Amino acid sequence: MFEIPQYSLSSQETLWFLLLATVLLALTRIIKPFNRKLETNQQNEKLPKDDEIEPLWDFDFRKEDPIKYQPYKTQGHVTMGIQKRVRSDWIRMDRGYLSRIEERLPLIRNKAEFTIGTGEVVNPAIEELYEEIMIRYLPARFPTMFKTQGGKLVKNLATGTTYPLTTTGLTHAQMLAYMGENVEASIDTSSVYPATTSSIEDFYFMCPDPNGDYRLQGYIACFPGGFLSPARVGESVREIHKPVPGYERKLGLSVDRYFARMKPGDFIGRMNWSLQVDGADLFRTDGNNYYPGTDQVVSDYKEDPSLDESFLRVEHQTLTKLPRSGAVIFTVRSYMTPLHQVKAEGDGKALAQAIESMPQGLGHYKMVQYWGRKVLPWLMEDV
């Protein structure tokens, strides 16, 4: 049988013991938060900040109205026009979701050679974006639409389809196709005006080359606003925008520098706009622009357009940089608003004044010299 020796502390030893205990307790309270902060910082270096995604627990896309964009009131013509965004607002959904997905599916499945772009340079970024959006973002942001199943699949409750919760076993073309079939930000305002439409998200991958220039290397692009993406693969941002009057002089170098300075996790937005006077078709390889010195043929209806077929086309672009690959992702969705609607809402004069204030070269690029003689006086008329 063991005996425990009895030992009593003197009053002086008791005092020193109490002082030591107090110091240790204080140090513990200081060190614990520091360790937690250090651990959190280490985790944030490895994982995306999913806690920055605010879940929409009561979200119903069928009741969600589209955002009204009026860049002609607030944004200059040849400017970056950048505004900071938060990660939660990266992808938007609204009430035209199902109808626009149905419009996009045939393009993805039947015209993949035009709509899906992969390659050795861009494939790591494609895989990274799939993880960011399909695995992390959608289930976290829209839990009423995207539900994980058994840790292997995500079910799209709106369409009834599923997609893998991993990139294992998927080709990079399949990853892009899954993104194209699920990520959408469309509008359906048929109750207001039957022809109002918008596109779902198109993604363009700008990857840095050895010289630090960002070049288009991949895409899922079903609704281009002026060119077929395969023809532009390998081009830099400046080369893609070379036809835009004033771009090189005002923005060329600043855009390159801005891309280089962007940090992973930054989200910025900008808008571009033009008039489309020959219908609401979102798939436009010729665009709404004039290219002097080329064999471009301008149709007669550009000079005498039908006002019923004339639209304001707005591109809302979101840019972010991926942490592993360093690729800058352009997320683009295009909104088509009938000019009749713009005028009915009292904005006809504001739009006309914005068009008239364009520098001459930019106005010609946007074909004002053709449709302007008819459209501008009509927009200036009182409602």
Side-chain angles (χ1 to χ4, degrees):
M1 182 175 178
F2 293 99
E3 292 184 0
I4 300 176
Q6 300 296 316
Y7 180 77
S8 60
L9 296 173
S10 67
S11 59
Q12 186 176 6
E13 289 174 326
T14 301
L15 178 61
W16 279 108
F17 178 80
L18 291 174
L19 288 174
L20 180 61
T22 303
V23 172
L24 290 174
L25 179 61
L27 286 173
T28 301
R29 290 177 176 176
I30 294 173
I31 292 172
K32 280 186 176 180
F34 177 79
N35 286 339
R36 284 198 298 266
K37 184 176 181 180
L38 180 61
E39 182 181 354
T40 300
N41 290 339
Q42 290 173 341
Q43 291 174 348
N44 287 343
E45 290 176 358
K46 298 177 182 179
L47 299 173
K49 296 181 179 179
D50 291 336
D51 58 341
E52 293 181 356
I53 304 174
E54 180 183 356
L56 300 177
W57 294 108
D58 298 323
F59 182 77
D60 186 345
F61 72 92
R62 295 165 296 187
K63 299 178 181 178
E64 189 72 13
D65 292 329
I67 292 176
K68 186 176 182 180
Y69 292 111
Q70 297 172 312
Y72 51 88
K73 289 185 175 181
T74 58
Q75 182 174 313
H77 300 294
V78 187
T79 64
M80 290 180 71
I82 284 177
Q83 297 177 332
K84 290 185 177 181
R85 296 285 187 264
V86 296
R87 192 178 184 209
S88 287
D89 292 336
W90 189 5
I91 305 297
R92 299 182 185 274
M93 302 280 183
D94 52 50
R95 62 181 179 235
Y97 181 77
L98 292 177
S99 62
R100 305 304 296 177
I101 287 288
E102 291 176 359
E103 182 174 348
R104 186 169 189 161
L105 288 179
L107 293 171
I108 295 174
R109 295 171 180 174
N110 301 329
K111 295 185 177 181
E113 69 273 19
F114 298 120
T115 58
I116 291 179
T118 65
E120 183 177 352
V121 174
V122 74
N123 285 346
I126 292 174
E127 183 172 347
E128 188 175 4
L129 186 65
Y130 186 93
E131 293 171 355
E132 290 284 341
I133 290 183
M134 305 299 289
I135 297 175
R136 296 189 178 103
Y137 186 94
L138 292 182
R141 178 62 168 167
F142 303 106
T144 60
M145 291 183 66
F146 298 91
K147 185 176 182 180
T148 59
Q149 295 184 329
K152 295 182 179 181
L153 297 172
V154 176
K155 184 170 184 179
N156 183 329
L157 301 178
T159 64
T161 59
T162 60
Y163 64 83
L165 197 60
T166 177
T167 58
T168 303
L170 295 179
T171 67
H172 294 91
Q174 287 173 325
M175 296 177 201
L176 290 177
Y178 278 125
M179 282 191 277
E181 293 171 5
N182 288 276
V183 182
E184 199 261 4
S186 67
I187 79 175
D188 177 8
T189 55
S190 56
S191 60
V192 179
Y193 196 95
T196 301
T197 59
S198 80
S199 77
I200 44 192
E201 309 280 4
D202 281 341
F203 295 98
Y204 297 87
F205 294 76
M206 307 299 297
C207 300
D209 68 9
N211 297 321
D213 292 328
Y214 285 80
R215 298 183 178 276
L216 178 66
Q217 299 290 0
Y219 50 86
I220 169 69
C222 293
F223 297 110
F227 61 86
L228 281 176
S229 299
R232 296 299 182 94
V233 169
E235 290 189 351
S236 68
V237 179
R238 295 167 75 178
E239 289 168 342
I240 291 173
H241 289 87
K242 188 176 181 179
V244 181
Y247 179 88
E248 179 64 25
R249 177 170 52 88
K250 293 185 177 181
L251 294 181
L253 288 175
S254 62
V255 171
D256 293 340
R257 293 192 190 106
Y258 191 89
F259 280 12
R261 290 197 306 266
M262 281 184 68
K263 297 179 180 178
D266 288 347
F267 286 84
I268 60 174
R270 67 176 305 274
M271 284 181 280
N272 184 30
W273 59 276
S274 61
L275 261 59
Q276 186 166 305
V277 296
D278 53 358
D281 185 15
L282 287 164
F283 185 91
R284 301 300 301 266
T285 59
D286 59 340
N288 304 303
N289 305 318
Y290 179 66
Y291 302 95
T294 68
D295 296 330
Q296 182 179 6
V297 177
V298 179
S299 302
D300 292 339
Y301 60 73
K302 292 284 189 181
E303 296 194 53
D304 186 24
S306 168
L307 296 174
D308 292 336
E309 295 295 320
S310 297
F311 294 78
L312 170 68
R313 179 169 183 149
V314 176
E315 286 188 356
H316 182 222
Q317 304 170 355
T318 304
L319 289 77
T320 190
K321 179 178 282 189
L322 298 178
R324 293 202 308 267
S325 64
V328 172
I329 307 300
F330 274 80
T331 306
V332 181
R333 64 180 165 272
S334 302
Y335 289 83
M336 302 290 287
T337 305
L339 291 190
H340 278 292
Q341 183 173 326
V342 174
K343 186 174 179 179
E345 293 174 351
D347 289 334
K349 292 182 179 180
L351 177 57
Q353 290 167 356
I355 294 170
E356 290 177 332
S357 69
M358 290 181 184
Q360 184 177 12
L362 185 61
H364 276 258
Y365 175 70
K366 292 183 178 289
M367 295 190 167
V368 177
Q369 69 273 28
Y370 294 101
W371 47 258
R373 286 189 290 270
K374 181 175 183 178
V375 172
L376 289 176
W378 175 76
L379 285 173
M380 291 296 294
E381 293 175 357
D382 294 330
V383 178

